[in-house]
Amino acid sequence: MNEVRILDKTFRELISEQSIRKRIDEIALQINREFVGSEVIFVGILNGAFMFAADLFRKIDLNARITFVKLASYQGISSSGSIKELIGWNEDLVNKRILVVEDIVDTGATLERTVNELVIRNVADIKIATMLLKPAAYTRDIPINYIGFEIPSKFVVGYGLDYNGFGRNLPSIYTLIR
Ligand code: IMP
Ligand code: MG
């Protein structure tokens, strides 16, 4: 299945399920090494990051917990710029080591907002993992510690990412062609 149709748009496979799996194994290995001996709280950003967070978390061999927060900034296929915080932030994060888990970093607005929320909660330190990064669109200077794949600034779906709510269940990542 190389092309998929979602609502009024057509997408072509960009990153296969197998490449995603392989990359997650590499990132998990890196995280397991870098956090060895520490407790860590994974903070997944809903909805998009649920799949990456689940696949990454099951490869983690640390004293790890996971929680999710829900932020939304997208409408249709472009970032609205304003972020609505919807749910979350009810864990005690004071002095905890945090690994933020994002599906994709585009402009970085969501990431910045998330990092700000963590800073005011006096966490011990913050690392960021994202499955995808659009480097040409990224306008913030928060360092991103673990990056699955860098991709062009084109709209993508699948592997947790949606187009108007659909396409999240696709096991590979697809890019908009028409
Ligand atoms: P940012 O705040 O502009 O970095 O956008 C980040 C959020 O927008 C991500 O967490 C995604 O949920 C969503 N997003 C950004 N780019 C895409 C895309 O290409 N497809 C689907 N969702 C996207
Ligand atoms: Mg997201």
Side-chain angles (χ1 to χ4, degrees):
M1 189 175 54
N2 213 1
E3 281 189 12
V4 292
R5 183 124 181 112
I6 301 171
L7 304 173
D8 58 334
K9 304 215 184 299
T10 306
F11 297 82
R12 178 176 296 140
E13 190 180 76
L14 179 69
I15 306 169
S16 70
E17 189 178 358
Q18 193 191 335
S19 318
I20 295 170
R21 209 174 298 136
K22 181 164 167 280
R23 191 69 191 112
I24 288 175
D25 287 348
E26 293 166 357
I27 292 172
L29 200 70
Q30 236 183 312
I31 292 170
N32 286 332
R33 281 206 196 107
E34 289 173 22
F35 284 84
V36 74
S38 304
E39 240 182 72
V40 51
I41 302 184
F42 282 54
V43 176
I45 313 300
L46 294 174
N47 293 326
F50 76 97
M51 206 173 274
F52 176 45
D55 286 348
L56 181 63
F57 197 65
R58 88 184 76 203
K59 303 283 175 172
I60 295 303
D61 183 24
L62 300 164
N63 287 325
R65 288 183 273 178
I66 188 163
T67 185
F68 289 91
V69 296
K70 185 162 181 169
L71 300 166
S73 71
Y74 253 64
Q75 277 167 342
I77 60 166
S78 63
S79 187
S80 70
S82 73
I83 293 158
K84 291 168 281 187
E85 185 194 336
L86 301 169
I87 58 163
W89 305 117
N90 40 20
E91 307 282 309
D92 182 13
L93 303 177
V94 176
N95 269 326
K96 301 296 192 309
R97 300 195 68 184
I98 306 296
L99 185 82
V100 174
V101 184
E102 255 290 22
D103 48 356
I104 183 165
V105 175
D106 185 3
T107 63
T110 307
L111 183 62
E112 185 174 62
R113 172 66 185 274
T114 305
V115 168
N116 290 343
E117 294 287 337
L118 289 166
V119 167
I120 61 176
R121 283 166 176 80
N122 296 312
V123 300
D125 79 322
I126 306 168
K127 293 276 160 56
I128 317 287
T130 187
M131 186 71 232
L132 301 173
L133 171 68
K134 293 176 178 171
Y138 188 52
T139 56
R140 308 304 202 271
D141 30 47
I142 300 162
I144 303 175
N145 308 91
Y146 309 99
I147 299 167
F149 302 92
E150 296 195 349
I151 60 167
S153 298
K154 280 205 192 128
F155 190 74
V156 291
V157 292
Y159 198 70
L161 292 153
D162 72 303
Y163 169 49
N164 284 344
F166 293 95
R168 295 192 195 275
N169 51 319
L170 295 166
S172 320
I173 293 164
Y174 290 79
T175 191
L176 179 66
I177 53 170
R178 65 185 171 267

